[in-house]
Amino acid sequence: MNDLLVPSRYCGPPSSGNGGWSAGALSVHAGGECPDDHARPWPTIEVSLRRPPPLETPMSIAAADGGVAALHEDDVVATARCTHEDLVDVEPVPPDEARAATAAYAGLVSHPFPTCFACGTGRAEGDGLRIFPGRVADHDGAVRVAATWTPDASVAEDYHSYADEHPRASVPVTWAALDCVGGWAGDLEERLMVLARMTTRLDSLPVIGEEHVIVGSGGRSKGRKTWTSSSLYDADGRVVGTAEHLWVAVDPAAFA
C-alpha cells in the first residue's frame, strides 16, 4: 500500500492534520478491504484517530484488525475499517437559513484553531473551506448549526464514474467538510475538543462551484466525550454524505 501524507494545507491545529481530511484520506485505503456494495460508490467507513496526524510526514499503511492502520515510527496514528452502521441523516435546513446562520458563527468571535482547513477564520478564500456554521432552530431537542459551502476548483479531483462529468471535490475534502460542523454543534464553545472517531457514509461527492448546505446536530456528552452528527446536501436537496463523530476534550496547552 502507498504511504499516507497530510500536506500542510490540510492542517487543523497549526502542527497537525485536520481530523476529517486525515480520516478521509485513510478511508480511501480502507475501502478496498470492504465487501462490495453496489448500492453506492463508497462503503461506510469508521476511522479512529489515536494521536494528532503529523503534517508533511509519510505514514505507512498496514493491514490491521480487518481494516488498515496509518503508522508513524511504529506508533498507530489512526485506524480505519468498514462498518455496517446505519447512519441517520441530520434534518436539512433551507439554503437561505444556512446562509444567514453564518453571521452567528461562534468562531468569528473566538476560534481555538483559526488555521483549520475546514472551519478556520484565518484561512483565505481558495485555501481553506471557510465553513462557518451558525446556530439554527433545534430539531427534536438537539442543537443544530448550519452553513453553506461552495467547493472551489482547488479541491477538485477527476471522477469519471459520474454520467454528468461535473468536477467534484475529493473524498478527503468531503470528509473535512463533514467534520468541524459537528464540533460546533457540540460544546466546542465551552471546551477544547478534538476528533477521536468519525464514521462516514458517502452517497455522492460535492460538485465544484455548486452551493451546498451542511447541517450539524449535537448529541450527548459524558465526561470528556461528546457525540455529534452532520449531513451535507447538494443544491437539489439530496444527501451527499452523512457522518457521526466522537469528540474528546483535551488540554489546550497540548495544541498551543
Side-chain angles (χ1 to χ4, degrees):
M1 297 183 183
N2 295 327
D3 288 344
L4 172 64
L5 184 141
V6 183
S8 295
R9 180 188 181 188
Y10 305 119
C11 69
S15 60
S16 58
N18 169 267
W21 194 95
S22 304
L26 185 58
S27 80
V28 175
H29 292 273
E33 305 297 315
C34 300
D36 289 337
D37 181 358
H38 299 293
R40 60 174 59 94
W42 298 275
T44 301
I45 303 288
E46 176 189 281
V47 177
S48 296
L49 298 170
R50 306 292 181 84
R51 62 189 70 245
L55 298 174
E56 301 291 350
T57 304
M59 291 174 278
S60 60
I61 305 297
D65 298 327
V68 298
L71 307 173
H72 177 232
E73 298 178 348
D74 296 327
D75 289 332
V76 176
V77 176
T79 60
R81 66 180 184 88
C82 183
T83 177
H84 299 291
E85 186 174 349
D86 187 17
L87 304 186
V88 178
D89 299 332
V90 180
E91 283 293 310
V93 168
D96 56 349
E97 186 177 348
R99 281 186 223 109
T102 296
Y105 176 44
L108 295 173
V109 178
S110 177
H111 199 301
F113 302 127
T115 59
C116 178
F117 171 67
C119 69
T121 53
R123 303 296 291 264
E125 294 280 356
D127 178 28
L129 302 185
R130 293 178 60 85
I131 296 171
F132 298 160
R135 185 79 177 264
V136 294
D138 296 356
H139 180 76
D140 290 340
V143 170
R144 285 194 305 166
V145 297
T148 56
W149 170 53
T150 301
D152 67 62
S154 72
V155 299
E157 284 195 6
D158 291 327
Y159 287 95
H160 301 292
S161 60
Y162 288 94
D164 58 26
E165 297 185 352
H166 291 311
R168 296 172 186 262
S170 69
V171 169
V173 166
T174 306
W175 278 62
L178 285 162
D179 171 17
C180 299
V181 64
W184 292 104
D187 53 2
L188 192 55
E189 292 180 65
E190 302 299 326
R191 58 179 181 170
L192 184 63
M193 302 186 300
V194 295
L195 185 68
R197 186 174 67 234
M198 184 170 176
T199 305
T200 301
R201 184 199 77 231
L202 295 183
D203 300 336
S204 182
L205 288 172
V207 174
I208 300 300
E210 181 179 283
E211 185 182 63
H212 293 69
V213 172
I214 307 175
V215 188
S217 178
R220 64 190 179 93
S221 293
K222 182 179 181 181
R224 295 174 57 210
K225 298 179 179 179
T226 297
W227 288 262
T228 64
S229 56
S230 62
S231 288
L232 174 63
Y233 291 88
D234 68 14
D236 294 319
R238 295 171 299 203
V239 176
V240 174
T242 287
E244 293 184 352
H245 323 87
L246 169 63
W247 304 86
V248 175
V250 296
D251 180 357
F255 291 86

mmCIF file of all heavy atoms in Angstrom, residues 179-229:
data_model
loop_
_atom_site.group_PDB
_atom_site.id
_atom_site.type_symbol
_atom_site.label_atom_id
_atom_site.label_comp_id
_atom_site.label_asym_id
_atom_site.label_seq_id
_atom_site.Cartn_x
_atom_site.Cartn_y
_atom_site.Cartn_z
ATOM 1 N N ASP A 179 -16.752 17.357 8.961
ATOM 2 C CA ASP A 179 -16.076 17.210 10.248
ATOM 3 C C ASP A 179 -16.448 18.301 11.254
ATOM 4 O O ASP A 179 -17.251 18.086 12.185
ATOM 5 C CB ASP A 179 -14.563 17.187 9.991
ATOM 6 C CG ASP A 179 -13.705 17.252 11.246
ATOM 7 O OD1 ASP A 179 -14.228 17.003 12.343
ATOM 8 O OD2 ASP A 179 -12.502 17.546 11.114
ATOM 9 N N CYS A 180 -15.895 19.501 11.079
ATOM 10 C CA CYS A 180 -15.946 20.528 12.123
ATOM 11 C C CYS A 180 -17.353 21.004 12.451
ATOM 12 O O CYS A 180 -17.603 21.459 13.580
ATOM 13 C CB CYS A 180 -15.090 21.709 11.730
ATOM 14 S SG CYS A 180 -13.348 21.301 11.497
ATOM 15 N N VAL A 181 -18.266 20.917 11.505
ATOM 16 C CA VAL A 181 -19.645 21.328 11.784
ATOM 17 C C VAL A 181 -20.209 20.537 12.962
ATOM 18 O O VAL A 181 -21.022 21.042 13.741
ATOM 19 C CB VAL A 181 -20.514 21.169 10.508
ATOM 20 C CG1 VAL A 181 -20.622 19.717 10.086
ATOM 21 C CG2 VAL A 181 -21.889 21.786 10.700
ATOM 22 N N GLY A 182 -19.743 19.291 13.119
ATOM 23 C CA GLY A 182 -20.166 18.505 14.279
ATOM 24 C C GLY A 182 -19.615 19.064 15.576
ATOM 25 O O GLY A 182 -20.315 19.123 16.595
ATOM 26 N N GLY A 183 -18.343 19.499 15.552
ATOM 27 C CA GLY A 183 -17.756 20.083 16.753
ATOM 28 C C GLY A 183 -18.482 21.333 17.212
ATOM 29 O O GLY A 183 -18.723 21.535 18.411
ATOM 30 N N TRP A 184 -18.871 22.191 16.258
ATOM 31 C CA TRP A 184 -19.585 23.416 16.619
ATOM 32 C C TRP A 184 -21.018 23.129 17.050
ATOM 33 O O TRP A 184 -21.628 23.948 17.757
ATOM 34 C CB TRP A 184 -19.548 24.405 15.453
ATOM 35 C CG TRP A 184 -18.170 24.929 15.213
ATOM 36 C CD1 TRP A 184 -17.305 24.564 14.216
ATOM 37 C CD2 TRP A 184 -17.465 25.875 16.023
ATOM 38 N NE1 TRP A 184 -16.107 25.227 14.358
ATOM 39 C CE2 TRP A 184 -16.174 26.047 15.444
ATOM 40 C CE3 TRP A 184 -17.790 26.607 17.174
ATOM 41 C CZ2 TRP A 184 -15.228 26.918 15.984
ATOM 42 C CZ3 TRP A 184 -16.835 27.468 17.707
ATOM 43 C CH2 TRP A 184 -15.588 27.623 17.120
ATOM 44 N N ALA A 185 -21.555 21.981 16.671
ATOM 45 C CA ALA A 185 -22.871 21.580 17.172
ATOM 46 C C ALA A 185 -22.771 20.991 18.578
ATOM 47 O O ALA A 185 -23.763 20.911 19.300
ATOM 48 C CB ALA A 185 -23.516 20.559 16.234
ATOM 49 N N GLY A 186 -21.557 20.581 18.969
ATOM 50 C CA GLY A 186 -21.318 20.078 20.322
ATOM 51 C C GLY A 186 -20.991 21.233 21.250
ATOM 52 O O GLY A 186 -21.537 22.331 21.108
ATOM 53 N N ASP A 187 -20.062 21.021 22.153
ATOM 54 C CA ASP A 187 -19.750 22.073 23.130
ATOM 55 C C ASP A 187 -18.377 22.679 22.907
ATOM 56 O O ASP A 187 -17.649 23.015 23.848
ATOM 57 C CB ASP A 187 -19.874 21.539 24.556
ATOM 58 C CG ASP A 187 -19.056 20.268 24.789
ATOM 59 O OD1 ASP A 187 -18.372 19.837 23.853
ATOM 60 O OD2 ASP A 187 -19.121 19.729 25.903
ATOM 61 N N LEU A 188 -17.996 22.855 21.633
ATOM 62 C CA LEU A 188 -16.690 23.412 21.302
ATOM 63 C C LEU A 188 -16.518 24.841 21.812
ATOM 64 O O LEU A 188 -15.403 25.288 22.068
ATOM 65 C CB LEU A 188 -16.479 23.377 19.786
ATOM 66 C CG LEU A 188 -15.071 23.646 19.248
ATOM 67 C CD1 LEU A 188 -14.052 22.710 19.886
ATOM 68 C CD2 LEU A 188 -15.037 23.514 17.730
ATOM 69 N N GLU A 189 -17.626 25.542 21.985
ATOM 70 C CA GLU A 189 -17.538 26.896 22.535
ATOM 71 C C GLU A 189 -17.122 26.882 24.006
ATOM 72 O O GLU A 189 -16.557 27.851 24.510
ATOM 73 C CB GLU A 189 -18.881 27.607 22.415
ATOM 74 C CG GLU A 189 -19.311 27.926 21.001
ATOM 75 C CD GLU A 189 -20.644 28.628 20.969
ATOM 76 O OE1 GLU A 189 -20.727 29.759 21.483
ATOM 77 O OE2 GLU A 189 -21.616 28.045 20.455
ATOM 78 N N GLU A 190 -17.438 25.793 24.696
ATOM 79 C CA GLU A 190 -17.207 25.724 26.140
ATOM 80 C C GLU A 190 -15.881 25.059 26.503
ATOM 81 O O GLU A 190 -15.293 25.379 27.523
ATOM 82 C CB GLU A 190 -18.357 24.950 26.804
ATOM 83 C CG GLU A 190 -19.726 25.572 26.556
ATOM 84 C CD GLU A 190 -19.837 26.977 27.114
ATOM 85 O OE1 GLU A 190 -19.219 27.239 28.162
ATOM 86 O OE2 GLU A 190 -20.519 27.810 26.491
ATOM 87 N N ARG A 191 -15.407 24.126 25.679
ATOM 88 C CA ARG A 191 -14.157 23.438 25.988
ATOM 89 C C ARG A 191 -13.515 22.962 24.690
ATOM 90 O O ARG A 191 -14.208 22.708 23.701
ATOM 91 C CB ARG A 191 -14.400 22.248 26.915
ATOM 92 C CG ARG A 191 -15.375 21.199 26.368
ATOM 93 C CD ARG A 191 -15.544 20.063 27.336
ATOM 94 N NE ARG A 191 -16.455 19.033 26.842
ATOM 95 C CZ ARG A 191 -16.622 17.853 27.419
ATOM 96 N NH1 ARG A 191 -15.941 17.561 28.518
ATOM 97 N NH2 ARG A 191 -17.470 16.966 26.939
ATOM 98 N N LEU A 192 -12.203 22.861 24.699
ATOM 99 C CA LEU A 192 -11.478 22.446 23.515
ATOM 100 C C LEU A 192 -11.655 20.948 23.308
ATOM 101 O O LEU A 192 -11.419 20.149 24.215
ATOM 102 C CB LEU A 192 -9.998 22.780 23.654
ATOM 103 C CG LEU A 192 -9.139 22.472 22.432
ATOM 104 C CD1 LEU A 192 -9.580 23.304 21.237
ATOM 105 C CD2 LEU A 192 -7.672 22.707 22.732
ATOM 106 N N MET A 193 -12.062 20.572 22.100
ATOM 107 C CA MET A 193 -12.240 19.163 21.763
ATOM 108 C C MET A 193 -11.531 18.875 20.446
ATOM 109 O O MET A 193 -11.391 19.757 19.597
ATOM 110 C CB MET A 193 -13.726 18.814 21.594
ATOM 111 C CG MET A 193 -14.605 19.093 22.775
ATOM 112 S SD MET A 193 -16.294 18.479 22.489
ATOM 113 C CE MET A 193 -16.773 19.406 21.020
ATOM 114 N N VAL A 194 -11.101 17.636 20.285
ATOM 115 C CA VAL A 194 -10.550 17.185 19.012
ATOM 116 C C VAL A 194 -11.278 15.913 18.590
ATOM 117 O O VAL A 194 -11.848 15.188 19.416
ATOM 118 C CB VAL A 194 -9.033 16.931 19.092
ATOM 119 C CG1 VAL A 194 -8.291 18.231 19.358
ATOM 120 C CG2 VAL A 194 -8.696 15.898 20.157
ATOM 121 N N LEU A 195 -11.248 15.660 17.294
ATOM 122 C CA LEU A 195 -11.943 14.496 16.745
ATOM 123 C C LEU A 195 -11.216 13.218 17.136
ATOM 124 O O LEU A 195 -10.005 13.094 16.930
ATOM 125 C CB LEU A 195 -12.001 14.630 15.221
ATOM 126 C CG LEU A 195 -12.794 13.564 14.478
ATOM 127 C CD1 LEU A 195 -14.282 13.675 14.789
ATOM 128 C CD2 LEU A 195 -12.558 13.692 12.968
ATOM 129 N N ALA A 196 -11.957 12.272 17.693
ATOM 130 C CA ALA A 196 -11.388 10.982 18.062
ATOM 131 C C ALA A 196 -11.869 9.860 17.144
ATOM 132 O O ALA A 196 -11.136 8.892 16.905
ATOM 133 C CB ALA A 196 -11.739 10.632 19.509
ATOM 134 N N ARG A 197 -13.097 9.976 16.641
ATOM 135 C CA ARG A 197 -13.623 8.948 15.737
ATOM 136 C C ARG A 197 -14.638 9.589 14.798
ATOM 137 O O ARG A 197 -15.401 10.471 15.212
ATOM 138 C CB ARG A 197 -14.283 7.810 16.513
ATOM 139 C CG ARG A 197 -14.712 6.633 15.626
ATOM 140 C CD ARG A 197 -15.219 5.470 16.455
ATOM 141 N NE ARG A 197 -16.468 5.768 17.139
ATOM 142 C CZ ARG A 197 -16.657 5.635 18.445
ATOM 143 N NH1 ARG A 197 -15.665 5.231 19.226
ATOM 144 N NH2 ARG A 197 -17.820 5.921 18.993
ATOM 145 N N MET A 198 -14.637 9.164 13.558
ATOM 146 C CA MET A 198 -15.581 9.678 12.570
ATOM 147 C C MET A 198 -16.014 8.518 11.679
ATOM 148 O O MET A 198 -15.172 7.790 11.140
ATOM 149 C CB MET A 198 -14.940 10.795 11.746
ATOM 150 C CG MET A 198 -15.866 11.472 10.755
ATOM 151 S SD MET A 198 -15.068 12.957 10.060
ATOM 152 C CE MET A 198 -16.310 13.474 8.870
ATOM 153 N N THR A 199 -17.320 8.359 11.555
ATOM 154 C CA THR A 199 -17.888 7.326 10.703
ATOM 155 C C THR A 199 -18.683 8.033 9.611
ATOM 156 O O THR A 199 -19.554 8.854 9.903
ATOM 157 C CB THR A 199 -18.809 6.395 11.508
ATOM 158 O OG1 THR A 199 -18.087 5.854 12.613
ATOM 159 C CG2 THR A 199 -19.332 5.263 10.633
ATOM 160 N N THR A 200 -18.382 7.724 8.359
ATOM 161 C CA THR A 200 -18.949 8.490 7.260
ATOM 162 C C THR A 200 -19.510 7.586 6.173
ATOM 163 O O THR A 200 -18.883 6.588 5.780
ATOM 164 C CB THR A 200 -17.883 9.420 6.642
ATOM 165 O OG1 THR A 200 -17.402 10.299 7.663
ATOM 166 C CG2 THR A 200 -18.443 10.242 5.494
ATOM 167 N N ARG A 201 -20.674 7.983 5.692
ATOM 168 C CA ARG A 201 -21.311 7.349 4.533
ATOM 169 C C ARG A 201 -21.390 8.384 3.423
ATOM 170 O O ARG A 201 -21.988 9.444 3.601
ATOM 171 C CB ARG A 201 -22.731 6.904 4.887
ATOM 172 C CG ARG A 201 -23.457 6.132 3.779
ATOM 173 C CD ARG A 201 -24.964 6.138 3.992
ATOM 174 N NE ARG A 201 -25.568 7.398 3.608
ATOM 175 C CZ ARG A 201 -26.382 8.115 4.378
ATOM 176 N NH1 ARG A 201 -26.678 7.730 5.612
ATOM 177 N NH2 ARG A 201 -26.894 9.251 3.919
ATOM 178 N N LEU A 202 -20.779 8.101 2.297
ATOM 179 C CA LEU A 202 -20.857 8.993 1.152
ATOM 180 C C LEU A 202 -21.802 8.402 0.106
ATOM 181 O O LEU A 202 -21.631 7.260 -0.323
ATOM 182 C CB LEU A 202 -19.473 9.203 0.528
ATOM 183 C CG LEU A 202 -18.434 9.921 1.399
ATOM 184 C CD1 LEU A 202 -17.145 10.106 0.614
ATOM 185 C CD2 LEU A 202 -18.955 11.260 1.895
ATOM 186 N N ASP A 203 -22.790 9.198 -0.292
ATOM 187 C CA ASP A 203 -23.695 8.794 -1.362
ATOM 188 C C ASP A 203 -23.267 9.391 -2.693
ATOM 189 O O ASP A 203 -23.674 8.929 -3.757
ATOM 190 C CB ASP A 203 -25.126 9.262 -1.049
ATOM 191 C CG ASP A 203 -25.656 8.664 0.246
ATOM 192 O OD1 ASP A 203 -25.166 7.596 0.645
ATOM 193 O OD2 ASP A 203 -26.557 9.268 0.850
ATOM 194 N N SER A 204 -22.477 10.438 -2.641
ATOM 195 C CA SER A 204 -22.002 11.142 -3.824
ATOM 196 C C SER A 204 -20.782 11.949 -3.405
ATOM 197 O O SER A 204 -20.221 11.724 -2.324
ATOM 198 C CB SER A 204 -23.118 12.051 -4.365
ATOM 199 O OG SER A 204 -22.712 12.720 -5.538
ATOM 200 N N LEU A 205 -20.358 12.887 -4.236
ATOM 201 C CA LEU A 205 -19.306 13.838 -3.900
ATOM 202 C C LEU A 205 -19.766 15.230 -4.320
ATOM 203 O O LEU A 205 -20.528 15.380 -5.282
ATOM 204 C CB LEU A 205 -17.990 13.483 -4.605
ATOM 205 C CG LEU A 205 -17.253 12.253 -4.068
ATOM 206 C CD1 LEU A 205 -16.077 11.905 -4.971
ATOM 207 C CD2 LEU A 205 -16.772 12.478 -2.639
ATOM 208 N N PRO A 206 -19.318 16.273 -3.624
ATOM 209 C CA PRO A 206 -19.793 17.627 -3.906
ATOM 210 C C PRO A 206 -19.324 18.137 -5.275
ATOM 211 O O PRO A 206 -18.157 17.992 -5.637
ATOM 212 C CB PRO A 206 -19.188 18.468 -2.782
ATOM 213 C CG PRO A 206 -18.753 17.487 -1.736
ATOM 214 C CD PRO A 206 -18.413 16.233 -2.466
ATOM 215 N N VAL A 207 -20.242 18.739 -6.007
ATOM 216 C CA VAL A 207 -19.923 19.310 -7.314
ATOM 217 C C VAL A 207 -19.209 20.648 -7.130
ATOM 218 O O VAL A 207 -19.651 21.500 -6.356
ATOM 219 C CB VAL A 207 -21.203 19.503 -8.152
ATOM 220 C CG1 VAL A 207 -20.896 20.246 -9.456
ATOM 221 C CG2 VAL A 207 -21.854 18.158 -8.451
ATOM 222 N N ILE A 208 -18.095 20.817 -7.832
ATOM 223 C CA ILE A 208 -17.336 22.065 -7.769
ATOM 224 C C ILE A 208 -18.197 23.220 -8.300
ATOM 225 O O ILE A 208 -18.851 23.106 -9.341
ATOM 226 C CB ILE A 208 -16.046 21.959 -8.601
ATOM 227 C CG1 ILE A 208 -15.152 20.831 -8.061
ATOM 228 C CG2 ILE A 208 -15.303 23.293 -8.625
ATOM 229 C CD1 ILE A 208 -14.708 20.993 -6.636
ATOM 230 N N GLY A 209 -18.188 24.338 -7.560
ATOM 231 C CA GLY A 209 -18.925 25.523 -7.983
ATOM 232 C C GLY A 209 -20.394 25.523 -7.641
ATOM 233 O O GLY A 209 -21.088 26.503 -7.931
ATOM 234 N N GLU A 210 -20.885 24.479 -6.989
ATOM 235 C CA GLU A 210 -22.297 24.387 -6.623
ATOM 236 C C GLU A 210 -22.460 24.628 -5.121
ATOM 237 O O GLU A 210 -21.704 24.090 -4.317
ATOM 238 C CB GLU A 210 -22.838 22.996 -6.981
ATOM 239 C CG GLU A 210 -24.293 22.774 -6.669
ATOM 240 C CD GLU A 210 -24.752 21.376 -7.086
ATOM 241 O OE1 GLU A 210 -24.970 21.165 -8.293
ATOM 242 O OE2 GLU A 210 -24.880 20.496 -6.189
ATOM 243 N N GLU A 211 -23.433 25.443 -4.748
ATOM 244 C CA GLU A 211 -23.658 25.707 -3.328
ATOM 245 C C GLU A 211 -24.262 24.490 -2.632
ATOM 246 O O GLU A 211 -25.238 23.907 -3.116
ATOM 247 C CB GLU A 211 -24.586 26.908 -3.152
ATOM 248 C CG GLU A 211 -24.761 27.296 -1.685
ATOM 249 C CD GLU A 211 -25.710 28.461 -1.498
ATOM 250 O OE1 GLU A 211 -26.903 28.323 -1.848
ATOM 251 O OE2 GLU A 211 -25.259 29.512 -1.003
ATOM 252 N N HIS A 212 -23.687 24.128 -1.508
ATOM 253 C CA HIS A 212 -24.163 23.016 -0.683
ATOM 254 C C HIS A 212 -24.561 23.553 0.688
ATOM 255 O O HIS A 212 -24.141 24.642 1.087
ATOM 256 C CB HIS A 212 -23.075 21.963 -0.514
ATOM 257 C CG HIS A 212 -22.714 21.247 -1.778
ATOM 258 N ND1 HIS A 212 -22.053 21.868 -2.825
ATOM 259 C CD2 HIS A 212 -22.917 19.968 -2.176
ATOM 260 C CE1 HIS A 212 -21.871 20.992 -3.807
ATOM 261 N NE2 HIS A 212 -22.377 19.836 -3.434
ATOM 262 N N VAL A 213 -25.339 22.777 1.398
ATOM 263 C CA VAL A 213 -25.719 23.096 2.771
ATOM 264 C C VAL A 213 -25.200 21.990 3.681
ATOM 265 O O VAL A 213 -25.386 20.800 3.397
ATOM 266 C CB VAL A 213 -27.246 23.234 2.930
ATOM 267 C CG1 VAL A 213 -27.627 23.363 4.403
ATOM 268 C CG2 VAL A 213 -27.760 24.435 2.147
ATOM 269 N N ILE A 214 -24.538 22.392 4.770
ATOM 270 C CA ILE A 214 -24.038 21.444 5.764
ATOM 271 C C ILE A 214 -24.745 21.714 7.078
ATOM 272 O O ILE A 214 -24.817 22.860 7.529
ATOM 273 C CB ILE A 214 -22.521 21.587 5.953
ATOM 274 C CG1 ILE A 214 -21.801 21.496 4.611
ATOM 275 C CG2 ILE A 214 -21.997 20.515 6.901
ATOM 276 C CD1 ILE A 214 -20.313 21.752 4.710
ATOM 277 N N VAL A 215 -25.263 20.659 7.693
ATOM 278 C CA VAL A 215 -26.005 20.785 8.946
ATOM 279 C C VAL A 215 -25.370 19.872 9.986
ATOM 280 O O VAL A 215 -25.083 18.700 9.701
ATOM 281 C CB VAL A 215 -27.489 20.416 8.770
ATOM 282 C CG1 VAL A 215 -28.271 20.752 10.035
ATOM 283 C CG2 VAL A 215 -28.090 21.127 7.565
ATOM 284 N N GLY A 216 -25.131 20.400 11.178
ATOM 285 C CA GLY A 216 -24.590 19.611 12.277
ATOM 286 C C GLY A 216 -25.587 19.526 13.419
ATOM 287 O O GLY A 216 -26.356 20.463 13.651
ATOM 288 N N SER A 217 -25.584 18.402 14.099
ATOM 289 C CA SER A 217 -26.513 18.185 15.211
ATOM 290 C C SER A 217 -25.746 17.724 16.439
ATOM 291 O O SER A 217 -24.914 16.811 16.364
ATOM 292 C CB SER A 217 -27.553 17.127 14.823
ATOM 293 O OG SER A 217 -28.436 16.861 15.895
ATOM 294 N N GLY A 218 -26.021 18.372 17.576
ATOM 295 C CA GLY A 218 -25.383 17.990 18.826
ATOM 296 C C GLY A 218 -26.010 16.743 19.414
ATOM 297 O O GLY A 218 -27.202 16.471 19.221
ATOM 298 N N GLY A 219 -25.217 15.980 20.134
ATOM 299 C CA GLY A 219 -25.716 14.772 20.795
ATOM 300 C C GLY A 219 -25.382 14.809 22.274
ATOM 301 O O GLY A 219 -25.251 15.871 22.874
ATOM 302 N N ARG A 220 -25.195 13.653 22.847
ATOM 303 C CA ARG A 220 -24.956 13.574 24.281
ATOM 304 C C ARG A 220 -23.487 13.793 24.598
ATOM 305 O O ARG A 220 -22.615 13.659 23.747
ATOM 306 C CB ARG A 220 -25.404 12.215 24.814
ATOM 307 C CG ARG A 220 -24.630 11.036 24.261
ATOM 308 C CD ARG A 220 -25.286 9.713 24.645
ATOM 309 N NE ARG A 220 -24.557 8.574 24.082
ATOM 310 C CZ ARG A 220 -23.613 7.904 24.709
ATOM 311 N NH1 ARG A 220 -23.256 8.263 25.953
ATOM 312 N NH2 ARG A 220 -22.989 6.888 24.141
ATOM 313 N N SER A 221 -23.223 14.121 25.845
ATOM 314 C CA SER A 221 -21.863 14.241 26.361
ATOM 315 C C SER A 221 -21.743 13.415 27.633
ATOM 316 O O SER A 221 -22.707 13.284 28.398
ATOM 317 C CB SER A 221 -21.509 15.698 26.659
ATOM 318 O OG SER A 221 -21.447 16.461 25.481
ATOM 319 N N LYS A 222 -20.566 12.847 27.843
ATOM 320 C CA LYS A 222 -20.289 12.094 29.053
ATOM 321 C C LYS A 222 -18.815 12.234 29.371
ATOM 322 O O LYS A 222 -17.962 11.809 28.573
ATOM 323 C CB LYS A 222 -20.656 10.611 28.873
ATOM 324 C CG LYS A 222 -20.420 9.777 30.129
ATOM 325 C CD LYS A 222 -20.833 8.329 29.909
ATOM 326 C CE LYS A 222 -20.608 7.508 31.174
ATOM 327 N NZ LYS A 222 -20.990 6.077 30.964
ATOM 328 N N GLY A 223 -18.508 12.851 30.489
ATOM 329 C CA GLY A 223 -17.117 13.071 30.847
ATOM 330 C C GLY A 223 -16.434 13.917 29.800
ATOM 331 O O GLY A 223 -16.910 14.993 29.437
ATOM 332 N N ARG A 224 -15.338 13.430 29.249
ATOM 333 C CA ARG A 224 -14.592 14.164 28.224
ATOM 334 C C ARG A 224 -15.152 13.942 26.825
ATOM 335 O O ARG A 224 -14.688 14.559 25.874
ATOM 336 C CB ARG A 224 -13.123 13.724 28.246
ATOM 337 C CG ARG A 224 -12.366 14.078 29.524
ATOM 338 C CD ARG A 224 -10.974 13.450 29.482
ATOM 339 N NE ARG A 224 -10.235 13.878 28.285
ATOM 340 C CZ ARG A 224 -9.316 13.127 27.679
ATOM 341 N NH1 ARG A 224 -9.044 11.903 28.133
ATOM 342 N NH2 ARG A 224 -8.675 13.588 26.613
ATOM 343 N N LYS A 225 -16.144 13.074 26.681
ATOM 344 C CA LYS A 225 -16.611 12.671 25.353
ATOM 345 C C LYS A 225 -17.901 13.390 24.945
ATOM 346 O O LYS A 225 -18.779 13.614 25.778
ATOM 347 C CB LYS A 225 -16.856 11.154 25.311
ATOM 348 C CG LYS A 225 -15.607 10.328 25.569
ATOM 349 C CD LYS A 225 -15.922 8.847 25.537
ATOM 350 C CE LYS A 225 -14.671 8.003 25.779
ATOM 351 N NZ LYS A 225 -14.980 6.551 25.772
ATOM 352 N N THR A 226 -17.990 13.730 23.668
ATOM 353 C CA THR A 226 -19.192 14.331 23.093
ATOM 354 C C THR A 226 -19.457 13.676 21.746
ATOM 355 O O THR A 226 -18.533 13.475 20.950
ATOM 356 C CB THR A 226 -19.021 15.850 22.899
ATOM 357 O OG1 THR A 226 -18.843 16.468 24.176
ATOM 358 C CG2 THR A 226 -20.241 16.462 22.223
ATOM 359 N N TRP A 227 -20.738 13.358 21.487
ATOM 360 C CA TRP A 227 -21.136 12.725 20.241
ATOM 361 C C TRP A 227 -21.969 13.710 19.410
ATOM 362 O O TRP A 227 -22.858 14.389 19.948
ATOM 363 C CB TRP A 227 -21.966 11.472 20.503
ATOM 364 C CG TRP A 227 -21.185 10.324 21.044
ATOM 365 C CD1 TRP A 227 -20.677 9.264 20.343
ATOM 366 C CD2 TRP A 227 -20.824 10.069 22.413
ATOM 367 N NE1 TRP A 227 -20.019 8.391 21.169
ATOM 368 C CE2 TRP A 227 -20.095 8.855 22.455
ATOM 369 C CE3 TRP A 227 -21.047 10.771 23.615
ATOM 370 C CZ2 TRP A 227 -19.594 8.325 23.637
ATOM 371 C CZ3 TRP A 227 -20.539 10.241 24.790
ATOM 372 C CH2 TRP A 227 -19.819 9.025 24.801
ATOM 373 N N THR A 228 -21.673 13.800 18.111
ATOM 374 C CA THR A 228 -22.421 14.690 17.222
ATOM 375 C C THR A 228 -22.608 14.003 15.870
ATOM 376 O O THR A 228 -22.079 12.909 15.626
ATOM 377 C CB THR A 228 -21.685 16.023 17.003
ATOM 378 O OG1 THR A 228 -20.447 15.781 16.327
ATOM 379 C CG2 THR A 228 -21.418 16.741 18.316
ATOM 380 N N SER A 229 -23.340 14.661 14.980
ATOM 381 C CA SER A 229 -23.528 14.133 13.628
ATOM 382 C C SER A 229 -23.669 15.293 12.654
ATOM 383 O O SER A 229 -23.892 16.440 13.056
ATOM 384 C CB SER A 229 -24.760 13.218 13.562
ATOM 385 O OG SER A 229 -25.910 13.894 14.005
#
